[in-house]
Amino acid sequence: MNNSKIYLSLGMQSGFEKEYISKALDDNWITSGGPNVDNFENELQNYLGENSFVTALNSGTSAIHLALILLGVEKGDEVICQTMTFSASANPILYQGAIPVFIDSEQETWNICPEKLEIAIKDRIKKGKKPKAIIAVHLYGNPYKVDEIHAVADRYQIPIIEDSAEALGSSYKGKKCGTFGILGVLSFNGNKIITTSSGGALISNSKEFKEKAIFYATQSKDDTVHYQHSEIGYNYRMSNICAGVGLGQMKILEGNVIKRRENYNFYKEIFKEIAAVELFEVLNEDYFSSYWLNTILINTENSDKNTENLRLALEAKNIESRPLWKPMHLQPIFKKYPYYGTTVAENLFKKGLCLPSGSNLTMYDKNRIREVITTFFK
Ligand SMILES: *Cc1c(COP(=O)(O)O)cnc(C)c1O
């Protein structure tokens, strides 16, 4: 029988991608920016809802970098960041020569902890520096505690950059993730819920931010006939070909969310019989998750039925799984920076595993996955 590799997170095509790309080629719009880019931005704006201004860029990482620039983050400034995340959330802080201040997770959404956040802000202010921005992440498609986190940020008037790279299609109290902060970030990397092969977007709540983001993303050209530059420029705009892929992908965004949530139901069914395993579930109805990745914690003290052995058992059957993100404050590159918290994120990392969650999983794939998991826990 077919034993092809089952990946952690792959997408699928709507079939329309080729048409948009062909049209761009036929019209000789092989450029950065162009009609596909404008249309892709408009479709995203319609999807995200009123008052979202979208700038399409060449990656989610570029979007975070531009968000920091737009908020005036400079050398020596401090920026707060959730520790439990992918390094791309934090790296742009270093691009600016700024100082990351990492915050632990809370148990319920695994995202930035409101209490630790407030403790950190107070302490940084006491030490003489108010943080310039907060990067909060909707990890694995699961919304962070939006009300609590934004209440703390508002109290100290610190803007939030909402890293929604993993959470396009998720929402909180009916409002789409990516639209709560002053600036939000999306990624269309190959493993995300929709892809442009490589790409990202900056979401903002004002037209001025969008115009300024395009200015920086296209080499900061002043308004002159000759090329004149008064500010540092970047080459961060999305290409018209990539945006063609994005337009094709928009047709299946909603379908992908449904498929990923079906994957979640599939795992729920398997794990309801297995006491040692806790499948991540949202806290209550306020939280709507795309379940971009399904994640589990294995609560085994001294047993060989642990996370690493399950990973190996899956790997032996050509099925990919992966530990949760290793927290940033434990990373060699970031460990010298301030950290506020205990061991919540660290324990999640030790006990957690991400399971195959692609929009392309078939019944046959799911049966293979089920077989390995149920045998392993027998
Ligand atoms: C993927 C990802 C990014 C970066 O997006 P790229 O498009 O790969 O640059 C940022 N933050 C998080 C949480 C991500 O998962």
Side-chain angles (χ1 to χ4, degrees):
M1 280 300 259
N2 180 358
N3 192 34
S4 59
K5 179 152 180 172
I6 299 176
Y7 290 92
L8 199 61
S9 177
L10 274 189
M12 43 203 301
Q13 295 180 31
S14 69
F16 290 94
E17 292 82 358
K18 269 191 194 143
E19 283 178 30
Y20 290 107
I21 296 172
S22 299
K23 176 106 175 51
L25 294 173
D26 292 345
D27 297 348
N28 213 20
W29 273 106
I30 315 169
T31 49
S32 106
N36 281 343
V37 176
D38 297 339
N39 292 337
F40 184 47
E41 288 178 343
N42 286 335
E43 289 204 11
L44 282 166
Q45 282 169 194
N46 289 339
Y47 181 80
L48 292 167
E50 264 172 272
N51 244 337
S52 346
F53 295 86
V54 172
T55 312
L57 301 169
N58 60 5
S59 75
T61 311
S62 310
I64 296 174
H65 190 196
L66 286 188
L68 294 171
I69 293 167
L70 289 168
L71 294 175
V73 172
E74 291 176 356
K75 191 166 182 211
D77 285 340
E78 294 190 351
V79 174
I80 285 178
C81 184
Q82 177 168 330
T83 193
M84 187 81 192
T85 187
F86 178 45
S87 65
S89 305
N91 277 328
I93 302 171
L94 299 188
Y95 302 168
Q96 284 307 92
I99 299 157
V101 174
F102 293 109
I103 312 287
D104 206 357
S105 296
E106 33 79 10
Q107 293 283 2
E108 289 167 324
T109 78
W110 300 4
N111 291 309
I112 188 166
C113 168
E115 283 92 43
K116 303 281 165 40
L117 172 63
E118 181 149 27
I119 290 167
I121 294 172
K122 280 188 179 155
D123 193 53
R124 299 325 290 177
I125 292 174
K126 206 168 80 191
K127 290 192 161 71
K129 231 178 220 171
K130 179 168 141 178
K132 270 277 181 78
I134 297 164
I135 300 173
V137 188
H138 304 292
L139 214 61
Y140 304 124
N142 306 320
Y144 59 76
K145 293 192 169 178
V146 173
D147 288 345
E148 287 91 331
I149 297 299
H150 286 256
V152 174
D154 289 349
R155 205 170 303 144
Y156 298 90
Q157 304 205 322
I158 303 173
I160 290 185
I161 297 169
E162 201 187 336
D163 183 344
S164 201
E166 301 180 359
L168 177 59
S170 299
S171 53
Y172 177 78
K173 293 187 175 170
K175 191 169 155 63
K176 291 271 184 331
C177 287
T179 65
F180 295 100
I182 287 174
L183 293 161
V185 168
L186 298 175
S187 167
F188 313 115
N189 192 20
N191 61 348
K192 300 289 160 64
I193 194 134
I194 61 167
T195 181
T196 58
S197 71
S198 172
L202 186 67
I203 305 165
S204 60
N205 60 4
S206 83
K207 196 154 162 265
E208 288 69 42
F209 267 143
K210 174 167 173 166
E211 282 166 359
K212 203 74 210 220
I214 293 175
F215 170 78
Y216 286 124
T218 54
Q219 307 288 19
S220 302
K221 296 182 197 103
D222 290 346
D223 194 10
T224 51
V225 178
H226 57 277
Y227 276 12
Q228 177 164 301
H229 309 275
S230 314
E231 289 186 78
I232 300 175
Y234 302 85
N235 186 3
Y236 279 175
R237 196 72 165 123
M238 180 176 280
S239 94
N240 198 51
I241 302 291
C242 291
V245 179
L247 281 169
Q249 290 275 293
M250 283 306 284
K251 298 191 188 297
I252 49 171
L253 171 55
E254 277 302 291
N256 285 354
V257 173
I258 291 168
K259 291 201 175 93
R260 300 230 174 200
R261 288 174 58 83
E262 280 169 7
N263 293 339
Y264 159 75
N265 285 323
F266 158 73
Y267 285 116
K268 197 168 165 166
E269 200 55 36
I270 296 182
F271 289 117
K272 76 174 189 222
E273 312 288 343
I274 304 171
V277 176
E278 200 182 311
L279 175 68
F280 180 91
E281 289 189 70
V282 296
L283 196 53
N284 59 44
E285 272 141 45
D286 290 342
Y287 297 81
F288 179 87
S289 176
S290 65
Y291 291 113
W292 171 65
L293 286 189
N294 285 284
T295 53
I296 53 169
L297 299 178
I298 306 183
N299 299 302
T300 38
E301 290 305 308
N302 309 305
S303 151
D304 55 357
K305 300 214 182 298
N306 57 35
T307 306
E308 178 56 8
N309 285 340
L310 176 58
R311 192 187 71 76
L312 291 170
L314 288 161
E315 191 175 76
K317 297 287 181 194
N318 213 14
I319 300 169
E320 185 183 27
S321 66
R322 200 181 298 153
L324 304 189
W325 298 124
K326 180 172 180 175
M328 291 304 112
H329 72 282
L330 302 175
Q331 299 282 357
I333 179 79
F334 292 121
K335 67 170 185 254
K336 67 177 180 208
Y337 297 108
Y339 170 66
Y340 291 82
T342 55
T343 55
V344 178
E346 191 174 343
N347 285 333
L348 291 170
F349 170 62
K350 282 185 187 150
K351 293 198 288 184
L353 195 67
C354 301
L355 297 171
S357 302
S359 321
N360 65 338
L361 286 188
T362 61
M363 252 349 249
Y364 182 71
D365 295 336
K366 287 182 186 174
N367 285 335
R368 279 173 60 194
I369 297 166
R370 186 204 318 269
E371 177 68 27
V372 176
I373 294 174
T374 48
T375 309
F376 180 82
F377 284 104
K378 207 163 264 170

